[in-house]
Amino acid sequence: MTVLLAGCGDLGTEAGLRFAAAGHRVVGWRRSPEKLPAAIEGVAADLSSGELPPIPADTTAVVVAIAADAPTEDAYRAAYVDGLSNVLDAVLASGASVRRILFVSSTAVYGDAGGGWIDERTTPEPGGFSGRIIREAEELLNSRLRGTGITPVVLRLGGIYGPGRTRLIDQVRGGSAVIPAASRFTNRIHRDDAAAAIVHLCTMDTVPAPVYLGVDNEPAELGEVLGFLAAELGLPRPASDSAGAADGASAGGTSAGGTSAGRPPASGGEPSRGGNKRASNGRLRSTGFELQYPSFREGYRAILAGKGVRHP
């Protein structure tokens, strides 16, 4: 089949390479298509513009993997709401044989759960503009595709980590990592598993559910992750924050939208994107999907061993 990647950064490129390896034609839209590998047909496109390239008539799946240009409310709205709206306009006007549109979302739509478990049945209650705007984009996807015969799929990713996404490792190495005084559960997914999940949901024979959580098998306390990294690096365990003010990394990586999870964007009132919650991947795994990196241990060991590259 032909797959269109609307937004083709690190995650989109990795997914595109996996689609291509499975024998599919892959078209990638991004502002700098010359950076894409040869397996992806790069096309210059600015998703925030109403003037998008033609969609190949035989396109059967579209993946919308957007990243905001800046950690501000305006940038998020331009990317997630305006960008998605423009892509949907182009798809619906094209007459292409699209069967599924997968939107890469974020667990930021849930906000904080006080350390409790969440899944796809949990009502989203975003605590900041990022989660609210991404949730608005999810609703836009569903409303625009209702009655079109195209299946909308939302993949809410936890904090993405992987090659080149080494902020937690750098904090431990540099001595700036601090273990929060209060328990804080974090949720993450390795870049490669996130890409594999995208391919799986776009190509599986059964019709996918409307929403999936893309996280690994083991929500983990931030202190446990920092302590593990210190031990792997042969360094002392990071100090605890007796004042409870630290938030080293609420999700251990980068969110789907490109903002480092746990680092509040430069905008008033925006809380940590990760929150304190434990996300279940049971629905995703029930489709037969298996993670290459089932927990942070396998994933971070691969990063420390230099496995993989981050795509430009």
Side-chain angles (χ1 to χ4, degrees):
M1 66 184 190
T2 295
V3 180
L4 171 64
L5 300 173
C8 210
D10 179 44
L11 175 60
T13 299
E14 182 62 29
L17 290 172
R18 290 167 182 260
F19 277 120
H24 305 297
R25 177 192 177 197
V26 184
V27 177
W29 285 358
R30 64 178 287 172
R31 292 172 182 164
S32 50
E34 69 280 357
K35 295 181 180 179
L36 292 174
I40 300 174
E41 298 176 29
V43 179
D46 180 355
L47 301 186
S48 64
S49 166
E51 299 294 328
L52 293 177
I55 293 176
D58 61 347
T59 300
T60 52
V62 177
V63 176
V64 184
I66 298 171
D69 289 337
T72 65
E73 188 165 357
D74 288 345
Y76 265 75
R77 181 163 297 281
Y80 285 97
V81 177
D82 299 342
L84 175 61
S85 180
N86 291 335
V87 172
L88 293 175
D89 285 344
V91 170
L92 296 176
S94 70
S97 55
V98 175
R99 296 199 302 266
R100 294 176 193 174
I101 298 182
L102 184 147
F103 173 65
V104 178
S105 180
S106 168
T107 54
V109 300
Y110 292 109
D112 193 291
W117 283 93
I118 64 165
D119 61 18
E120 293 83 358
R121 297 167 296 180
T122 304
T123 300
E125 295 181 354
F129 73 75
S130 57
R132 288 197 302 270
I133 291 173
I134 294 172
R135 177 61 181 147
E136 182 180 340
E138 292 181 353
E139 294 172 336
L140 175 68
L141 177 76
N142 289 311
S143 65
R144 291 289 304 278
L145 295 186
R146 192 170 295 120
T148 65
I150 301 173
T151 300
V153 185
V154 171
L155 178 59
R156 294 171 177 162
L157 296 178
I160 304 172
Y161 72 109
R165 301 174 188 253
T166 59
R167 186 167 57 86
L168 271 190
I169 295 171
D170 295 340
Q171 287 178 352
V172 173
R173 276 197 176 121
S176 63
V178 179
I179 296 175
S183 173
R184 173 180 285 279
F185 282 98
T186 63
N187 304 272
R188 58 185 54 72
I189 187 167
H190 193 284
R191 191 270 321 264
D192 292 358
D193 282 328
I198 290 171
V199 175
H200 175 74
L201 293 174
C202 285
T203 59
M204 67 184 193
D205 292 334
T206 56
V207 177
V211 180
Y212 293 89
L213 293 189
V215 294
D216 66 20
N217 297 348
E218 187 179 336
E221 288 189 295
L222 178 57
E224 181 183 4
V225 179
L226 294 173
F228 168 82
L229 289 175
E232 291 291 306
L233 293 167
L235 297 171
R237 180 178 174 84
S240 296
D241 174 28
S242 57
D247 180 14
S250 63
T254 305
S255 72
T259 301
S260 295
R263 185 195 315 156
S267 173
E270 176 71 351
S272 163
R273 287 173 55 89
N276 182 18
K277 54 183 174 275
R278 287 178 280 180
S280 169
N281 65 6
R283 178 178 289 180
L284 180 60
R285 293 174 67 191
S286 73
T287 66
F289 180 74
E290 296 182 3
L291 291 117
Q292 182 179 0
Y293 302 105
S295 81
F296 68 90
R297 299 176 191 87
E298 296 87 356
Y300 275 117
R301 282 181 178 138
I303 297 171
L304 292 171
K307 184 175 181 179
V309 295
R310 183 165 184 171
H311 305 294

